[in-house]
């Protein structure tokens, strides 16, 4: 009998509560709400809906405003204000567990009031309830999260998250609110409206990522990687660099190290790599090196541990993803429809791993230049060995692509870029495989390219070093690579080229061509007339109106070597070569010759080797280029240069 009464008591209690809530006096309604907080369970949505309908929106609004000191209810006094505030926010949060109530305009309209409560009383006893209300209403409808944002929610979150206890329920809900805002609005809009607040929020999330050992750590990881890897993150990154919170880089390094060295899902490790790549974009490659503080480990951790962890996980991703990509491409070639989305996703992921490996290559290559560098010598050897193995895997991927007739794809272009970056530092690595694939790599195109260009640019550092030796020159010429380099330079400097402002690439292409032309007697370079003419026209265009001595000397030295392969008469017969181009080139040679023997400037002295190429060549071909010779004779020259006038 007693058990039956117990089962009936909640219903009886609800009936009593509803009677009080429907009473005419505020005292009755207050008593009813107090009774609600004592017996009504949060998951009893039906009862919550009945109670909400009974109490009415107007009374709830008056109760909240009274608690905030903005209104009054019957028999209220200032001494009861805190109690009214706590009661009102508690029942509002409870009611919003019913999605329909949370999505109503009545609840959405209360968001500014609740934000005001949080702004005025940051340490209030109703902190949990306020955050729960905001989260439930923001989750229930788009109007809710937009009201949260437009009412200054970002300012409130920034002020709170920097002081909320680590791992607290409030911090967890605050992070969820940030995620909701990011899901609704572009980072571009948020950064424009609340850049400083966003930077403070990121710093607070970074600390949670470092210190927590719960599921919230992964929430922090996903938030950080989404924010910092966004295409709109540049202004935020600038703000983070000057943020007073100097521990942010260390926090994120600690968190990434914890993720990578523990058994977690591969997707989480990939997110950690995305975040690591973003951090190096902000702070440079040396961010990888630094003290790591992991509370679960008592032994001190080497400063280069994060470097090793990121390298090893990047290598794993490359090996797995390239294998999966090769299989997917093979399957796609046998079907009428390809799994485009899956392939695209894996290409993006492998691009992240490649980017990290390139940054590690840069870090290691600069390590020897920094005295007292914290990278251990054994670590350097481990890194180099690992990179060698991974470059071998990438070369195998390209070999497979070549065998399947694949030359176009951003994944292939990224593979060439990685190989070019590594071989620029270690030109002898994987020498045989590289030489075998050289022609293919020079032919690789990106998805949006109409012909190979960037693949050649990426390989220029290696090609420049390779062509310093006759063996390397022969390897390049044998596969037609010399024409590819010339075509690349024409696109870099010519009138119809890509107009890419990249002086380093231009100089590398020039040096490679010089290396080849200086060994032309040993190589017998098969240079087509159209290739020669296009290069001469590009050199004329490049130097038109230029006063930079290094540009003038580089262009004139190449021009001098090319003139030795032809004659003025032969050039003028070519349909794509005209008098104006010859005049420009004559002026170019004359300008460079005029500086010979004068010691005009320090810059000119540094180009002495190039000037020697020009003058030496001039003595060989001047009798075949009468207009060039006349231009040289007319150009004012120093005493030593005048000897060329007397010879001819």
């Amino acid at each position: 009998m007693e058990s039956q009464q117990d089962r009936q008591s909640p219903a009886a209690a609800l009936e009593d509560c509803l009677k009080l809530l429907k009473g005419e006096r505020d005292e009755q309604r207050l008593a009813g709400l107090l009774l609600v907080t004592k017996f009504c369970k949060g998951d009893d949505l039906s009862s919550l809906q009945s109670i909400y309908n009974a109490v009415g929106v107007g009374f709830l609004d008056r109760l909240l405003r009274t608690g905030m000191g903005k209104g009054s209810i019957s028999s209220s006094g200032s001494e009861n204000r805190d109690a009214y505030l706590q009661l009102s926010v508690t029942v509002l949060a409870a009611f919003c567990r019913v999605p329909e109530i949370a999505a109503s305009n009545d609840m959405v309209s209360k968001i500014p009031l609740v934000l005001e409560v949080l702004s005025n009383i940051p340490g209030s006893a109703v902190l949990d309830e306020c955050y729960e209300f905001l989260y439930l209403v923001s989750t229930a409808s788009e109007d809710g999260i937009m009201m949260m944002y437009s009412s200054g929610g970002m300012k409130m979150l920034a002020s709170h998250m920097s002081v909320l206890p680590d791992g607290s329920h409030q911090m967890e809900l605050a992070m969820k609110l940030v995620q909701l805002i990011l899901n609704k609005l572009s980072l571009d809009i948020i950064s424009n409206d609340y850049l400083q607040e966003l930077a403070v929020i990121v710093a607070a999330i970074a600390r949670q990522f470092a210190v927590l050992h719960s599921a919230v750590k992964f929430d922090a990881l996903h938030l950080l990687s989404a924010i910092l890897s966004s295409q709109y993150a540049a202004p935020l990154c600038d703000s983070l660099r000057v943020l007073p919170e100097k521990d942010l880089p260390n926090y994120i390094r600690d968190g990434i190290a914890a993720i990578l060295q523990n058994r977690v899902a591969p997707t989480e490790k990939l997110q950690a790599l995305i975040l690591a790549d973003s951090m190096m974009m902000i702070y440079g490659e040396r961010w990888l090196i630094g003290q790591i503080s992991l509370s679960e480990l008592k032994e001190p951790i080497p400063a280069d541990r994060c470097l090793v962890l990121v390298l090893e996980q990047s290598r794993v991703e490359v090996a797995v993803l390239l294998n999966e990509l090769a299989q997917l491409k093979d399957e796609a070639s046998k079907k009428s429809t390809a799994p485009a989305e899956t392939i695209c996703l894996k290409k993006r992921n492998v691009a992240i791993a490649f980017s990290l490996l390139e940054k590690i290559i840069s870090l290691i290559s600069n390590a020897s230049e920094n005295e007292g560098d914290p990278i251990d010598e054994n670590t350097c050897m481990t890194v180099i060995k690992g990179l060698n193995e991974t470059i071998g895997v990438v070369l195998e991927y390209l070999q497979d692509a070549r065998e399947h007739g694949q030359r176009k794809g951003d994944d292939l272009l990224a593979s060439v870029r990685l190989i070019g970056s590594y071989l620029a530092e270690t030109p002898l690595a994987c020498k045989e495989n590289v030489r075998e694939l050289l022609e293919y790599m020079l032919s690789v195109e990106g998805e949006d390219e109409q012909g190979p260009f960037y693949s050649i640019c990426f390989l220029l550092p290696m090609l420049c070093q390779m062509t310093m030796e006759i063996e390397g020159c022969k390897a390049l010429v044998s596969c037609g690579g010399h024409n590819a380099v010339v075509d690349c330079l024409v696109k870099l400097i010519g009138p119809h080229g890509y107009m890419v402002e990249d002086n380093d690439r231009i100089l590398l292409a020039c040096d490679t061509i010089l290396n080849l032309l200086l060994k032309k007697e040993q190589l017998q370079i098969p240079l087509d007339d159209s290739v020669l003419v296009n290069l001469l026209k590009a050199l004329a265009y490049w130097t038109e109106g230029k006063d930079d001595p290094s540009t003038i000397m580089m262009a004139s030295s190449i021009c001098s070597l090319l003139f030795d392969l032809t004659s003025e008469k032969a050039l003028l017969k070519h349909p794509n070569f005209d008098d104006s181009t010859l005049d420009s080139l004559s002026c170019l040679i004359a300008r460079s010759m005029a500086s010979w023997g004068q010691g005009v400037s320090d810059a000119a002295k540094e180009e002495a080797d190039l000037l020697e190429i020009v003058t030496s060549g001039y003595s060989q071909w001047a009798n075949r280029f009468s207009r060039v010779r006349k231009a040289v004779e007319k150009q004012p020259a120093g005493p030593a240069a005048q000897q060329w006038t007397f010879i001819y």
Side-chain angles (χ1 to χ4, degrees):
M1 186 69 178
E2 183 178 354
S3 176
Q4 184 177 0
Q5 289 177 347
D6 290 341
R7 287 195 299 270
Q8 293 175 345
S9 59
L14 176 60
E15 188 64 32
D16 292 341
C17 176
L18 292 174
K19 288 178 182 179
L20 288 170
L21 291 172
K22 292 176 181 178
E24 296 182 358
R25 302 193 311 275
D26 286 344
E27 290 85 348
Q28 291 175 296
R29 295 175 180 175
L30 282 171
L33 286 178
L34 287 170
L35 189 58
V36 168
T37 62
K38 292 181 179 179
F39 84 88
C40 192
K41 295 180 181 180
D43 57 355
D44 188 357
L45 302 186
S46 177
S47 295
L48 285 172
Q49 183 71 63
S50 299
I51 295 167
Y52 176 75
N53 293 336
V55 70
V57 175
F59 180 73
L60 289 173
D61 188 67
R62 283 194 294 122
L63 182 61
L64 176 60
R65 292 179 181 276
T66 299
M68 296 175 66
K70 294 187 173 217
S72 63
I73 59 174
S74 302
S75 303
S76 68
S78 59
E79 68 277 2
N80 294 324
R81 185 177 299 164
D82 289 345
Y84 291 151
L85 179 63
Q86 183 162 2
L87 176 61
S88 63
V89 176
T90 299
V91 296
L92 283 172
F95 288 144
C96 285
R97 290 168 190 163
V98 181
E100 292 77 13
I101 296 176
S104 68
N105 289 332
D106 294 323
M107 292 299 113
V108 171
S109 66
K110 288 180 174 54
I111 285 179
L113 293 175
V114 174
L115 287 173
E116 186 177 338
V117 170
L118 287 170
S119 299
N120 293 335
I121 322 173
S124 169
V126 295
L127 204 60
D128 269 338
E129 290 78 5
C130 285
Y131 271 105
E132 186 171 353
F133 170 85
L134 290 173
Y135 175 68
L136 291 170
V137 177
S138 297
T139 305
S141 71
E142 290 188 0
D143 290 342
I145 193 62
M146 289 307 299
M147 179 66 79
M148 166 81 182
Y149 182 80
S150 62
S151 302
M154 289 292 291
K155 286 185 177 292
M156 182 279 295
L157 288 170
S159 65
H160 275 226
M161 292 178 72
S162 58
V163 296
L164 286 174
D166 295 332
S168 63
H169 184 55
Q170 301 102 305
M171 178 64 84
E172 183 177 351
L173 290 177
M175 287 171 55
K176 289 182 177 179
L177 285 168
V178 173
Q179 182 67 69
L180 287 172
I181 292 172
L182 287 169
N183 290 344
K184 180 61 181 174
L185 295 167
S186 163
L187 188 67
D188 186 32
I189 296 173
I190 301 171
S191 296
N192 188 56
D193 294 341
Y194 297 106
L195 182 59
Q196 296 306 315
E197 289 81 3
L198 184 59
V200 172
I201 288 170
V202 167
I205 296 172
R207 176 172 171 79
Q208 303 309 297
F209 181 48
V211 303
L212 298 184
H213 303 285
S214 63
V216 180
K217 188 183 195 76
F218 297 103
D219 295 337
L221 169 62
H222 298 159
L223 270 172
L224 291 169
S225 65
I227 293 171
L228 297 181
S229 66
S230 167
Q231 60 178 316
Y232 304 114
L236 173 62
C237 294
D238 291 338
S239 294
L240 291 176
R241 291 188 190 98
V242 297
L243 199 67
E245 175 54 82
K246 299 300 181 184
D247 287 330
L248 182 145
N250 300 329
Y251 285 149
I252 295 185
R253 190 190 307 110
D254 289 354
I256 288 174
I259 294 291
L260 294 182
Q261 73 176 14
N262 283 295
R263 292 184 178 180
V264 300
T267 53
E268 305 297 351
K269 291 194 174 186
L270 179 60
Q271 288 296 313
L273 291 184
I274 293 173
L275 182 55
D277 188 59
S278 299
M279 290 301 290
M280 284 188 274
M281 292 291 289
I282 301 172
Y283 297 103
E285 293 88 356
R286 287 189 60 78
W287 167 83
L288 272 175
I289 309 298
Q291 196 59 51
I292 298 174
S293 301
L294 298 179
S295 58
E296 69 269 22
L297 298 177
K298 297 180 180 179
E299 297 295 325
I301 302 173
D304 53 23
R305 173 64 65 83
C306 192
L307 163 63
V308 175
L309 290 170
V310 169
L311 170 67
E312 289 308 310
Q313 190 58 38
S314 298
R315 292 183 60 226
V316 169
E317 294 293 338
V318 167
V320 171
L321 289 168
L322 290 186
N323 182 56
E324 291 177 346
L325 271 172
Q327 291 180 0
L328 285 169
K329 287 182 179 182
D330 186 52
E331 292 173 7
S333 66
K334 299 174 183 177
K335 299 177 182 178
S336 57
T337 57
E341 291 184 7
T342 303
I343 291 177
C344 186
L345 176 61
K346 292 190 182 298
K347 284 183 178 181
R348 286 201 300 268
N349 291 341
V350 82
I352 294 295
F354 279 175
S355 176
L356 285 166
L357 291 174
E358 284 190 59
K359 291 178 175 67
I360 291 172
I361 290 168
S362 176
L363 176 65
I364 293 298
S365 67
N366 294 326
S368 59
E369 301 173 9
N370 302 315
E371 293 184 7
D373 200 293
I375 304 179
D376 182 75
E377 184 177 351
N378 290 332
T379 300
C380 277
M381 296 303 296
T382 300
V383 170
I384 292 171
K385 180 182 177 183
L387 288 171
N388 267 329
E389 292 175 358
T390 297
I391 291 299
V393 171
V394 177
L395 286 169
E396 288 177 8
Y397 180 69
L398 290 176
Q399 175 73 36
D400 183 72
R402 184 181 70 169
E403 292 172 358
H404 285 80
Q406 301 162 359
R407 295 181 183 271
K408 196 176 188 69
D410 289 342
D411 57 317
L412 302 178
L413 185 61
S415 299
V416 172
R417 173 172 172 159
L418 177 63
I419 290 168
S421 297
Y422 188 58
L423 296 181
E425 306 300 333
T426 56
L428 298 180
C430 310
K431 183 177 177 180
E432 292 184 5
N433 289 337
V434 169
R435 297 281 171 88
E436 182 185 349
L437 283 170
L438 184 56
E439 180 180 5
Y440 170 76
M441 289 193 290
L442 290 169
S443 71
V444 167
E445 304 170 18
E447 297 286 358
D448 299 324
E449 286 189 281
Q450 299 305 311
F453 172 70
Y454 287 106
S455 59
I456 304 165
C457 287
F458 297 149
L459 292 172
L460 281 175
M462 178 198 75
L463 296 177
C464 186
Q465 292 191 52
M466 189 174 92
T467 51
M468 290 180 181
E469 304 294 335
I470 188 64
E471 182 186 352
C473 290
K474 289 178 178 179
L476 184 60
V477 171
S478 67
C479 70
H482 60 295
N483 288 324
V485 176
V486 169
D487 184 60
C488 178
L489 180 59
V490 170
K491 288 176 179 176
L492 285 167
I493 66 174
H496 307 297
Y498 285 32
M499 299 302 292
V500 179
E501 292 293 333
D502 192 338
N503 287 332
D504 289 341
R505 299 288 182 191
I506 291 172
L507 292 177
L508 284 168
C510 287
D511 282 337
T512 303
I513 292 170
L514 273 177
N515 290 340
L516 291 167
L517 292 174
L518 287 170
K519 302 178 185 68
K520 61 181 183 296
E521 301 297 335
Q522 301 163 273
L523 293 172
Q524 297 181 343
I525 304 172
L527 202 61
D528 187 78
D529 286 346
S530 61
V531 174
L532 186 146
V533 165
N534 288 339
L535 180 52
L536 286 172
K537 289 173 66 177
L539 292 171
Y541 179 83
W542 183 36
T543 54
E544 193 72 39
K546 289 275 183 70
D547 293 322
D548 176 43
S550 62
T551 300
I552 298 300
M553 295 310 304
M554 177 62 79
S556 60
S557 60
I558 295 175
C559 182
S560 180
L561 291 168
L562 290 174
F563 278 176
D564 198 33
L565 301 174
T566 184
S567 67
E568 185 176 295
K569 184 178 180 180
L571 286 175
L572 290 173
K573 284 183 177 180
H574 196 281
N576 293 327
F577 194 89
D578 53 27
D579 287 326
S580 63
T581 302
L582 182 58
D583 289 340
S584 296
L585 294 173
S586 299
C587 181
L588 171 64
I589 295 294
R591 289 171 66 189
S592 64
M593 293 282 288
S595 66
W596 191 72
Q598 290 185 341
V600 176
S601 65
D602 290 340
K605 292 176 183 176
E606 292 175 2
E607 308 302 331
D609 289 344
L610 295 177
L611 185 54
E612 185 178 346
I613 293 172
V614 177
T615 56
S616 175
Y618 184 80
S619 67
Q620 301 296 320
W621 51 255
N623 61 332
R624 304 196 304 272
F625 286 84
S626 58
R627 283 166 63 171
V628 178
R629 189 171 68 249
K630 289 177 182 178
V632 171
E633 292 170 355
K634 289 180 181 179
Q635 185 78 24
Q642 291 174 0
Q643 62 174 298
W644 304 110
T645 304
F646 301 140
I647 290 175
Y648 301 102

